[in-house]
Amino acid sequence: MTWTPFNRVRRGAYFDSVALMRAAARIEAMPGIAAASLMMGADANKAMLRDAGLLNHEGETAGPNDLIVAVTADTARHAEAACDAGEAELAGSRPTSRSRARSLSGAVEDLPGANLALISVPGVYAAAQARAALARGLHVMVFSDNVSFADERALKELARGSGLLLMGPDCGTALIAGVALGFANEVRRGDIGIIAASGTGLQEVACLVDRLGHGISHGIGVGGRDLSAKIGGLATFAAFDALERDAATRHIVIVSKPPAPEVARALFARLATCAKTVTVCILGARTLDIPAGVRAAHTLAEAAAMACGIAETKKIAAGPAAPARQSGRRFVRGLFAGGTLAAEAQLVLLDAGLAVASNAPAPGAVHGAIGTAGHLVLDLGAGEFTIGRPHPMIAPAMRNALIAAALADPAVSVVLIDLVIGHGAHEDPAGIVAGLGPFPMDGPAVIASVTGTDRDPQNRARQGAILRAANVTVADSNSAASALAAARIVAAR
Amino acid sequence: MSIASLLAGPLKVVNIGLSGFARDLAGSGVAVADVDWSPPPNLSPELQAALDRLLADPGVDAANEEAFERLAKSDPVLLDVRRADEAVPGLGDRMILHAGPPIEWPRMCGPMRGAVQGAIVLEGWASDLVSAERLADSGAIRFAPNHQFGAVGPMTGIITRSMPVMVVENRAFGNRAYCTLNEGLGKVMRFGGNDASVLERLRWIAASLGPTLGAALRHNGGLALKPLIARGLAMGDEMHQRNVACTSLFVRAIGPALAEVVEDRANLAAILRFVGANDQFFLNIAMAMAKAIADPAREVARSTVVTCLSRNGTDFGIHVAGLGARWFTAPVEMPKGLYFPGFGEADANPDMGDSAIVETVGLGGFAMAASPAVAGFVGAGGMAEALRITREMYEITLGRSPDWKIATMDFAGVPLGIDVRKVVAAGQAPIINTGIAHREPGIGQVGAGVVRAPLACFHAALLACAAEYR
C-alpha cells in the first residue's frame, strides 16, 4: 500500500489553528486516509508537514496567508473526498447556543427578578437545592420525591418563616399566575383556586372546571404528605391563607386523601372562618366533621361542579350508555397512570358494592397485584412499576402489555384506563392505546377518560376521537368512567 | 417577594433538574433560566466534616475576602531583566531550580532530565551531557522548585545562575517574581532540548537579548502589565495558549525604548525578529506577573485561597494561602487535546510547567470565554463550550476580577480567587489550557489541549486547612 501525499491550497484564507486541528482530526478517520493536517503555509508549518511526509509540490507553493489541506491517502478519490470534507468542516458554522448557568446562583444572575425555583433533581439532592433557593428568597416547587419527612418539615418551616411558598415534595403539578408548571394543562383563568395534595387530582379538577366554562386562579400543589401528622398541613395552611387573600380567587377547592385526625380538625376549624366559599374533596373519607357552609364532594368531578356552583354532577354530560352485558365476563381491570385517579376509581367501584384489590389500595380496598383475581385496579405509576423505567404518563406504551393481557382474559368484563394529557405528558397517549385496537365488540369493554382540555398540545377532543375510532368508550371524567364500569358489572349480575 | 406578589405574576422561573420543564415554559413564553445541574460529589465523612466546618467558619470567609482583595488590587510592573544569581535571592552555584513541586533526579520525566543535563553543561559544571547526567545523579546538585525562590518557569522551567530572568514587581505590596525569557518553539530547553544549538541560543539570550531588554525596560521606567493584559483579553488572548496579541502589544510598547538603547542595528533587528517570530513570547511575562500577583495572598492566615498550581511532569502541586509553602501533591494527569501532524497521544509527556500560575489568577483556561477558539480542544468546542468552562470556574472562585473583563460575557470579570472549599464542594477542579510536550527530551511541542488539576490535591489541602484553622 502506498500512501501518497495530496495537498490542496486555498489562497488568501485564514483560519484559526485550533479549528484547523479539529478539522484534521475529523477527516483523519475517513476511509483511505492515513494522516491529515490543515495548516497555514508559514515556513515553520511547512517544515512540520514536510517532516511528517504530508507535503508535496503543490503545498510547497503555499505562502503564510494560504491554507494547506494535506492528507496521505491510498487513492486520489479518497484524498479528494477527505479534502472536501475538511473544507466543509471549516465552512460549516454552528449556531451559538446560550450558555446555561451551572448553579442556582448563576441562574439568578441570568434571570434578575427570578421568583420561583422548580426543582426536579433526584430526591437525595432536592432538599439542599430547595434550602438554597429559599435562602435566596425564591418560592419553591419541589417536583422530586424521596425527600425525607424531616427535610420536608424543616423546609416548610423555613418557608413559613421567610414568608415563602414551598410546594411539594412530590408536587407534579401547579398553576401559578396563569403558568402551567410541571405536568399541567392549558386551562382558562378564572376565580376558582385549588389546593391539591396530588398532581393528577389537581389536573382533573382544573380541566373539569375549564370544561364547565369556568376558570382557575391558581392551583397550588402541597405534596402528598402535607396533611400527615408529621407535617401538620404547613403548606396547605400557607396556600389557604394566600388564596383567601388573593383578589382573583372567589372560591377555594381542597383536594386530598384523608388527613391525620388532628390535622383535619385544625384544617376544618380554619375553613370555618374563611371569608370565601370552599369545597373539599377528601377521597376515601366516609365521615368527616366538615363545617357547615363548606361543600363536601365525593369525587373530583363533583368538586369541580360544586366549585362552579352547579348543584348536580348530572350537569356534566352523562356519557354513553354502558355496553350490553356478556356472560362469563365479570371483572373490572383498572390500569392507571395517575395515582389519584386510580384511588378515585377504586372508591367509585367500592361505592357500587364491588370488592376491589389494588397495589395502592384506597380505604376499603384490599391489597392486590398483577395476577390477583377479581376486580383489580393497578396504579402503574407506583414505585414497584417505575424502577428503572419511565413513568406511564410519559411512556404510555408501558401499559400496553397489561392492556393486551386484560383483553385476552376471559374473566375480564371491563378494562378501565385513564389518559392524562397536557404539558409534560406523552404527545399522543390515545394513539398508543388505539394502536392495540380496534377493540373487538365481543371482547371486554374498554372505558377511558381523558384528563385534559382541547387547548392542550394533544387536544382532548382529538384524543377522544382517536379512542372512539378504536371502539373505546370515552367518559367525561374519571369518576364517570368508573361509574360506567361499575354499572356494567352490576347490570350483568 | 411575598406569596401575594408571586400570585400576581409574572413568574420568572429557575429550573433545576429535568430540562423538559424549562422547554415547556420557554415554549409558553415564560421567562426561565435552566440550570445545567450535575450532582455534587460523594465525599468521605472526613472530607464532608472538614468542608462543613470550614464553610461555617466566619474567620475563613473574612480571611478569603482579604486574600481576594490582595489579588484584586495588585499592580504588577515589568521592571528589568537580570542574571538569575543577581536577581533571585538564594540562587547559587550547583543549584538547579525547576518547575513544579519538589522532585529528585530519579523521578524526573524525560524532558526535565534532558533540560537538567543541558543546564549543567551550560553552567560549566560538566563538560558534556554524559558526565552531566552522572553529576545530576550524584547528589552534588541541589534541586529546588522555582516557586520556593519566588520564580516560575514554563514546561521544564529550569533556572540556573547565569540565565537572565525577567523581574516583575507588584507595586501594591513591594514583592517581586522572576521568570526566564521564552526561547521560542521546537528544540529548546524548556522541552528538554540540550544540544549545541540549544545552548548557543541560551548563550545569545544571556549575552544579548536579556541585557538589551533589561536596558530598554529600565530606560522606559518599567512596563505596567495589568492594562496590557486587559487589552490582550479583548483581542482573543487568554495568556496561556494564546499570547500573540500581548506579544504584539509588548513589542509595540517596548519598541521605542529598544531603539533608543541599542546602537547596533543588526542587533536590534535580531532581537525584534526573535521576539516577533514567537507568538508565545509573552507567556513568560504573564507567568512572572501572575506569581507577583498571587504571592501577597500567601500571608493571609486562615484563608483557603489557592496561591499556586504547578507541575513537574510527574507530580502536580498546589499551595494554599495561610498554609504558606506547604505542598499538596498528586500525580499529574495527561492533557487531552489535538496534535500536530505526525504526532499522537502516545507521544505526549504528562502535564508539566509552572505556567498554571496564570490560571491561579483567572487567566488561561479560566478566561476561555475570551478566547473561544481554544475551546476547540475540548468536547464540542465553540462559543458555548468556552462560556460553559468559564462559568464552571465561577463556581469554584470567590469572585471576579475588577480589571480583567471578558467582552463575550458582557464584560463580566474573569474568575478570581480559587477557593479550596468550593473546589471540593463542587467536585470540579481548575481547568488548565496547556501545550503538550513530546515525552522524549528535545523534540518540542507536539500539540495543545486542556488538563485538570487533580482533585486529590484539593482534598489533602482541605483536610490540612480544617486541622490548622481551629
Side-chain angles (χ1 to χ4, degrees):
Chain A
M1 171 84 66
T2 334
W3 298 102
T4 319
F6 291 85
N7 289 172
R8 191 182 287 179
V9 177
R10 288 279 173 246
R11 309 279 165 196
Y14 173 75
F15 292 97
D16 182 272
S17 61
V18 178
L20 293 177
M21 289 172 85
R22 275 182 78 83
R26 295 290 250 282
I27 67 176
E28 223 169 49
M30 289 179 68
I33 302 298
S37 182
L38 287 81
M39 301 193 102
M40 296 307 295
D43 285 343
N45 292 345
K46 287 203 290 193
M48 265 195 269
L49 289 170
R50 204 179 292 122
D51 287 345
L54 275 161
L55 198 68
N56 68 11
H57 61 275
E58 200 177 328
E60 292 283 6
T61 69
N65 294 321
D66 302 329
L67 170 67
I68 307 171
V69 184
V71 300
T72 45
D74 55 357
T75 65
R77 195 172 52 80
H78 283 148
E80 288 295 319
C83 290
D84 286 343
E87 291 197 88
E89 277 282 331
L90 296 176
S93 62
R94 257 182 309 261
T96 305
S97 55
R98 277 196 56 200
S99 76
R100 292 196 286 160
R102 301 277 306 169
S103 70
L104 174 66
S105 45
V108 168
E109 259 196 44
D110 280 350
L111 190 62
N115 49 23
L116 180 80
L118 169 50
I119 297 169
S120 56
V121 299
V124 65
Y125 305 113
Q129 293 293 317
R131 199 165 291 120
L134 290 172
R136 286 182 169 273
L138 273 72
H139 303 272
V140 176
M141 173 174 166
V142 180
F143 177 89
S144 319
D145 60 1
N146 288 318
V147 174
S148 72
F149 266 102
D151 278 338
E152 179 174 348
R153 172 116 205 162
L155 285 168
K156 286 179 174 174
E157 281 173 346
L158 182 59
R160 179 176 61 182
S162 311
L164 297 167
L165 183 65
L166 187 132
M167 296 187 281
D170 198 15
C171 172
T173 306
L175 294 159
I176 303 289
V179 174
L181 293 157
F183 291 88
N185 306 89
E186 288 294 318
V187 296
R188 195 177 294 111
R189 276 315 287 283
D191 58 14
I192 296 170
I194 307 174
I195 302 170
S198 124
T200 41
L202 202 167
Q203 289 182 272
E204 176 84 338
V205 173
C207 293
L208 291 170
V209 163
D210 177 276
R211 206 160 332 133
L212 288 169
H214 289 248
I216 305 297
S217 56
H218 309 283
I220 300 176
V222 296
R225 306 183 306 205
D226 193 61
L227 292 171
S228 66
K230 286 190 195 171
I231 307 297
L234 281 165
T236 303
F237 283 107
F240 196 80
D241 288 347
L243 289 177
E244 196 185 36
R245 272 196 303 270
D246 178 48
T249 301
R250 172 194 57 80
H251 184 91
I252 302 170
V253 177
I254 300 179
V255 175
S256 173
K257 57 185 193 232
E262 62 271 37
V263 181
R265 269 195 297 279
L267 179 63
F268 296 148
R270 176 69 179 90
L271 297 187
T273 69
C274 182
K276 299 181 178 175
T277 52
V278 179
T279 299
V280 297
C281 177
I282 311 239
L283 289 172
R286 286 271 138 249
T287 50
L288 278 171
D289 269 329
I290 296 182
V294 173
R295 303 167 202 178
H298 294 109
T299 64
L300 299 166
E302 193 180 359
M306 284 180 171
C308 296
I310 298 162
E312 306 275 338
T313 51
K314 292 199 200 86
K315 282 290 182 172
I316 301 175
R325 67 157 113 169
Q326 291 162 3
S327 63
R329 297 190 175 278
R330 291 150 48 212
F331 297 126
V332 176
R333 185 77 53 82
L335 300 166
F336 282 80
T340 299
L341 302 178
E344 187 181 49
Q346 292 175 58
L347 293 166
V348 170
L349 296 173
L350 288 165
D351 258 357
L354 308 185
V356 180
S358 172
N359 65 317
V366 300
H367 197 272
I370 294 175
T372 303
H375 305 296
L376 179 66
V377 172
L378 294 175
D379 171 9
L380 299 171
E384 67 262 39
F385 291 111
T386 53
I387 295 174
R389 287 190 293 197
H391 194 281
M393 262 173 64
I394 304 169
M398 314 288 309
R399 183 169 53 175
N400 280 5
L402 290 170
I403 295 175
L407 290 168
D409 187 332
V412 170
S413 171
V414 177
V415 178
L416 180 63
I417 59 175
D418 62 343
L419 283 85
V420 182
I421 59 173
H423 294 290
H426 188 272
E427 60 182 357
D428 183 17
I432 299 290
V433 171
L436 287 171
F439 302 110
M441 295 309 288
D442 62 350
V446 181
I447 302 177
S449 67
V450 180
T451 300
T453 70
D454 295 348
R455 286 180 316 290
D456 281 332
Q458 302 89 339
N459 190 330
R460 183 179 181 275
R462 208 172 6 187
Q463 292 281 289
I466 291 169
L467 290 169
R468 286 189 191 94
N471 293 331
V472 175
T473 300
V474 182
D476 282 347
S477 69
N478 182 56
S479 51
S482 309
L484 274 177
R488 182 185 164 92
I489 301 299
V490 166
R493 284 179 175 168
Chain B
M1 154 179 304
S2 66
I3 300 179
S5 300
L6 178 75
L7 298 183
L11 239 55
K12 291 188 172 189
V13 181
V14 172
N15 186 59
I16 309 173
L18 303 169
S19 284
F21 291 148
R23 278 195 294 276
D24 283 338
L25 286 166
S28 304
V30 177
V32 55
D34 187 25
V35 172
D36 181 12
W37 183 85
S38 46
N42 242 341
L43 297 176
S44 70
E46 200 194 354
L47 270 174
Q48 188 65 55
L51 180 63
D52 290 341
R53 176 139 30 92
L54 290 166
L55 283 171
D57 185 341
V60 170
D61 286 330
N64 284 347
E65 260 193 58
E66 164 72 24
F68 180 87
E69 280 311 303
R70 289 189 174 210
L71 295 174
K73 68 173 197 236
S74 59
D75 182 16
V77 178
L78 177 59
L79 280 188
D80 200 354
V81 182
R82 302 219 77 102
R83 261 181 72 108
D85 60 3
E86 284 170 24
V88 180
L91 178 62
D93 188 34
R94 305 256 139 99
M95 282 179 67
I96 297 184
L97 304 184
H98 60 80
I103 188 165
E104 292 303 323
W105 174 258
R107 291 185 73 236
M108 287 185 183
C109 65
M112 191 167 282
R113 287 184 171 213
V116 164
Q117 288 169 262
I120 288 172
V121 174
L122 181 76
E123 298 297 346
W125 300 329
S127 54
D128 58 70
L129 295 172
V130 175
S131 35
E133 187 177 351
R134 272 202 305 273
L135 189 69
D137 199 20
S138 72
I141 300 289
R142 179 180 163 201
F143 295 107
N146 284 320
H147 270 290
Q148 241 151 262
F149 287 79
V152 283
M155 285 290 168
T156 56
I158 300 298
I159 301 180
T160 50
R161 62 180 178 183
S162 74
M163 296 181 185
V165 294
M166 292 180 291
V167 179
V168 174
E169 183 174 285
N170 185 345
R171 292 242 159 104
F173 297 95
N175 61 297
R176 291 184 170 192
Y178 317 98
C179 187
T180 44
L181 291 156
N182 195 287
E183 305 158 84
L185 310 168
K187 202 195 298 182
V188 292
M189 184 170 279
R190 80 170 175 285
F191 291 113
N194 55 20
D195 68 10
S197 73
V198 174
L199 301 191
E200 196 185 306
R201 187 184 304 109
L202 284 168
R203 287 186 189 110
W204 174 79
I205 289 175
S208 181
L209 176 68
T212 309
L213 271 180
L217 285 165
R218 291 190 303 271
H219 182 68
N220 201 52
L223 190 60
L225 293 175
K226 257 189 167 171
L228 207 150
I229 298 283
R231 298 198 71 174
L233 271 174
M235 294 165 70
D237 274 5
E238 33 74 278
M239 292 78 200
H240 198 147
Q241 277 185 33
R242 288 276 155 119
N243 282 285
V244 59
C246 283
T247 299
S248 310
L249 291 170
F250 171 72
V251 172
R252 201 177 101 167
I254 203 63
L258 260 179
E260 277 165 355
V261 302
V262 181
E263 286 177 7
D264 183 286
R265 288 174 54 154
N267 192 18
L268 177 62
I271 287 171
L272 286 172
R273 195 169 288 120
F274 181 82
V275 176
N278 182 358
D279 280 354
Q280 282 288 75
F281 184 80
F282 192 83
L283 171 66
N284 295 38
I285 300 174
M287 287 174 59
M289 174 199 74
K291 174 120 181 100
I293 290 173
D295 274 354
R298 289 172 172 272
E299 282 125 43
V300 182
R302 223 175 175 82
S303 166
T304 53
V305 167
V306 174
T307 50
C308 110
L309 299 168
S310 187
R311 330 72 114 203
N312 59 29
T314 309
D315 298 318
F316 197 112
I318 74 171
H319 286 152
V320 177
L323 296 180
R326 193 163 145 193
W327 287 101
F328 299 96
T329 62
V332 286
E333 306 198 352
M334 288 298 293
K336 287 186 183 39
L338 299 169
Y339 289 88
F340 299 155
F343 300 106
E345 254 183 56
D347 303 308
N349 197 65
D351 193 29
M352 183 166 59
D354 289 322
S355 53
I357 192 66
V358 308
E359 272 81 7
T360 310
V361 299
L363 302 172
F366 282 52
M368 193 87 88
S371 192
V374 175
F377 289 121
V378 220
M383 194 69 230
E385 189 75 43
L387 289 170
R388 192 189 66 77
I389 288 169
T390 293
R391 298 198 80 160
E392 197 188 292
M393 295 300 102
Y394 281 146
E395 298 296 323
I396 63 171
T397 46
L398 290 170
R400 307 192 183 171
S401 167
D403 303 302
W404 293 338
K405 308 292 181 133
I406 303 177
T408 57
M409 294 183 85
D410 292 328
F411 300 98
V414 300
L416 185 64
I418 303 170
D419 181 353
V420 172
R421 302 174 303 172
K422 290 187 162 204
V423 171
V424 175
Q428 302 282 9
I431 195 165
I432 299 163
N433 286 346
T434 185
I436 303 175
H438 200 287
R439 63 187 324 121
E440 296 300 320
I443 295 183
Q445 186 172 352
V446 294
V450 297
V451 72
R452 295 262 183 183
L455 272 173
C457 296
F458 300 88
H459 289 166
L462 188 87
L463 291 173
C465 287
E468 298 284 325
Y469 302 164
R470 281 189 174 279

